[in-house]
Amino acid sequence: MDSQSSKPKEQFVHEVFESIAPKYDRMNDILSFRRHKAWRKFTMDRMQMSKGDTAIDLCCGTCDWTISMAEASGGEIVGLDFSENMLQVGRSKVTQRSLEGQISLVQGNAMELPFEDGKFDYATIGFGLRNVPDLRKVLSEMKRVVKPGGMVVCLELSKPTWQPFKGIYYFYFEKVLPRLGKLFAKRYEQYKWLPDSLVQFPGRDELAEIFREVGLEKVKAYPLTGGIAALHIGIKETQQHV
């Protein structure tokens, strides 16, 4: 019996990330063939952060994107994650780069952000949206906490649509990836969660439409590496429609 079937999604995902935190960065390199760094660079180029811009990075994990934004803007950046073990890894990176005065790390729930409306210039989520119980709620919260004209940014695994790459990808993701997780992190079940989570996640065009449904404007969706990942960007309206 699949252990997650007897647990709420939120609890199961929390346990997964608490357990793999020490190996998370190494596994990301292995499982994405180091492409996740190139994807983040592409994303930062599209974000075009200015000096002093602020951001909240949801599901910040071990804080690589959080740190990239802090170094790009010099502004105050908040990293939020529900896994204390992931945040502990992130704190050590923040300390190593002497960014403690610029980056605040918060343990919290992405569906109930503990911040007022219109606080940040950017709200980002990297490889975390497919793990939340209600992605529309998370996107609505991201929209709420950015300023009018602010940017909501999601970098996430996606679903390639063309063959033969599609077939190869799904074979790798469903059969090979969990075994790599077992080999390198001794966590077969936890890494099996990754392909399982993607099955239920909307494709690139579907997610772009959800961005529009929650009220984001000028929505753009970029396929990355043959569509195995995607970048979605939406802008909060600059004035409320009457």
Side-chain angles (χ1 to χ4, degrees), residues 39-80:
W39 297 338
R40 192 166 61 246
K41 183 180 185 304
F42 178 88
T43 299
M44 290 295 294
D45 289 345
R46 295 303 176 279
M47 289 169 64
Q48 297 184 321
M49 295 186 84
S50 299
K51 184 176 177 60
D53 279 347
T54 60
I56 180 168
D57 186 21
L58 277 63
C59 305
C60 64
T62 58
C63 299
D64 285 346
W65 196 358
T66 321
I67 289 167
S68 293
M69 288 190 284
E71 293 176 340
S73 77
E76 294 182 10
I77 312 294
V78 173
L80 180 140

Side-chain angles (χ1 to χ4, degrees), residues 1-7 12 189-190 192-193 196-197:
M1 179 174 138
D2 189 341
S3 67
Q4 77 193 77
S5 64
S6 59
K7 299 175 183 177
F12 182 80
E189 183 179 283
Q190 285 85 343
K192 187 179 183 301
W193 163 253
D196 289 349
S197 68

Side-chain angles (χ1 to χ4, degrees), residues 173-189:
F173 215 55
E174 294 173 3
K175 305 297 184 184
V176 179
L177 183 150
R179 287 170 172 78
L180 285 176
K182 185 176 183 179
L183 178 65
F184 289 99
K186 306 298 187 288
R187 291 288 188 274
Y188 176 87
E189 183 179 283

Side-chain angles (χ1 to χ4, degrees), residues 228-241:
I228 69 172
L231 167 64
H232 287 77
I233 292 174
I235 306 297
K236 182 175 180 176
E237 66 271 19
T238 54
Q239 61 183 16
Q240 297 295 322
H241 300 295

